[in-house]
Amino acid sequence: MSCLTQRSRPKAPQKLGIMPRSKEIQEQMRTKVIEIYQSGKGYKAISKALGLQRTTVRAIIHKWQQHGTVVNLPRSGRPTKITPRAQRQLIREVTKDPRTTFKELQTSLASVKVSVHDSTIRHKHRFPRHKPLLSKKNIKARLNFAKKHLNDCQDFWENTLWTDETKVELFGRQMSRNIWRRSNTAFQTKNIIPTVKHGGGSVMVWGCFAASGTGRLAVINGTMNSTVYQNILKENVRPSVCQLKLKTSWLLQQDNDPKHTSKSTSEWLKNNKMKTLEWPSQSPDLNPIEMLWHDLKKAIHARKPSNKAELQHFCKDELDEIPPERCKRLVASYRKRLIAVIAAKGRPTSY
């Protein structure tokens, strides 16, 4: 009988050039790396003790030395196609002639052997963001605040009463927008946005909120000074604390406006046993109430108030309508704000 040989199955073709995605090291493990490193151990000893690659250990320690934390920081997106040399070329061109077109810049880049679509150049065209001017002292204070409170428990933030003042204008929120209209109808009533000199009037309000919801809102009449501010606190803070069911360990957050930090206000807070959260100056991006002010103003102007009396009434109505879930989410994500400040090394963030 003839021998039958078993045919081996053909091997599946291997995909070339595709490396398996490495598993991200958990934050707890990264913290252990730093703890062992601070005890005096070297990369090799840490690698052996925790079963990690030496390059991984080195990367974790380098990030900690650079940012002072091991948490995941916001990451950049796709690398730009425009090289540093090409960027310098663009700067020279637009400095020479600010009216240079996208097509002309595209041609200029071709001269330094950089081929990009004109849409890539358009992405470099930006409107400036409005952010507070930060001194070196402010930047350092913001960074220290973020690092100090990065690992505070969620209960700490949930028992903070966030406060602030804001101005709500009667006709102030007229955003630029496009409309559909026929030719020669530009000045018909339905196709225009009415404007009033100096905003047509405004009201200044003080408000507060916590993770459990919004608190009281006070309309500020006349000039705001330390005495007016203390009266607002007297009439609104403790009722809001009771309404929001904060614990006895609650803290009052306020910015460093001179009326808030004056000698008389500091003494008033001490006499009334109100502990405050230390706060870095020029840091509205660290106060989540700014997001509520945005919500409030959007809702108010959707109702089209016609006078200051209506505006005041709508302010109180709409603040009460903000759902507690919105407040809870803002406070629950507070750690992300701190991480953003650390990633920006104390400079302004996108919040």
Side-chain angles (χ1 to χ4, degrees), residues 14-20:
Q14 293 183 343
K15 294 182 179 180
L16 300 178
I18 301 177
M19 297 293 291

Side-chain angles (χ1 to χ4, degrees), residues 129-140:
R129 301 293 180 89
H130 294 270
K131 290 289 181 179
L133 179 64
L134 294 173
S135 65
K136 289 183 179 179
K137 182 181 177 181
N138 295 150
I139 291 170
K140 184 178 179 182

Side-chain angles (χ1 to χ4, degrees), residues 196-325:
V196 179
K197 280 190 176 182
H198 312 300
S202 62
V203 296
M204 182 71 74
V205 297
W206 174 95
C208 62
F209 92 104
S212 50
T214 56
R216 288 195 173 189
L217 182 137
V219 175
I220 302 166
N221 296 310
T223 304
M224 177 80 154
N225 56 33
S226 295
T227 303
V228 173
Y229 181 63
Q230 291 161 30
N231 286 333
I232 288 173
L233 297 182
K234 180 181 178 180
E235 294 173 7
N236 296 282
V237 168
R238 292 205 183 275
S240 295
V241 169
C242 293
Q243 174 189 328
L244 298 171
K245 298 179 181 179
L246 301 187
K247 295 180 180 178
T248 53
S249 58
W250 67 276
L251 287 176
L252 175 71
Q253 180 279 330
Q254 58 177 8
D255 62 29
N256 293 332
D257 184 285
K259 297 178 285 294
H260 303 170
T261 57
S262 66
K263 185 177 179 180
S264 65
T265 299
S266 298
E267 288 178 355
W268 186 92
L269 289 167
K270 184 178 178 181
N271 293 337
N272 286 273
K273 298 180 181 179
M274 291 187 186
K275 294 183 180 179
T276 58
L277 175 67
E278 87 286 350
W279 194 253
S281 297
Q282 299 291 72
S283 299
D285 55 344
L286 281 170
N287 192 348
I289 201 172
E290 295 293 338
M291 305 295 286
L292 289 192
W293 289 146
H294 177 269
D295 295 351
L296 179 72
K297 293 173 184 179
K298 185 177 179 181
I300 289 169
H301 290 289
R303 295 178 65 176
K304 298 181 174 63
S306 58
N307 53 59
K308 287 181 67 173
E310 276 193 349
L311 185 60
Q312 291 183 18
H313 179 67
F314 290 172
C315 284
K316 294 183 178 181
D317 273 0
E318 293 301 333
L319 188 70
D320 291 339
E321 290 298 318
I322 293 176
E325 293 76 17

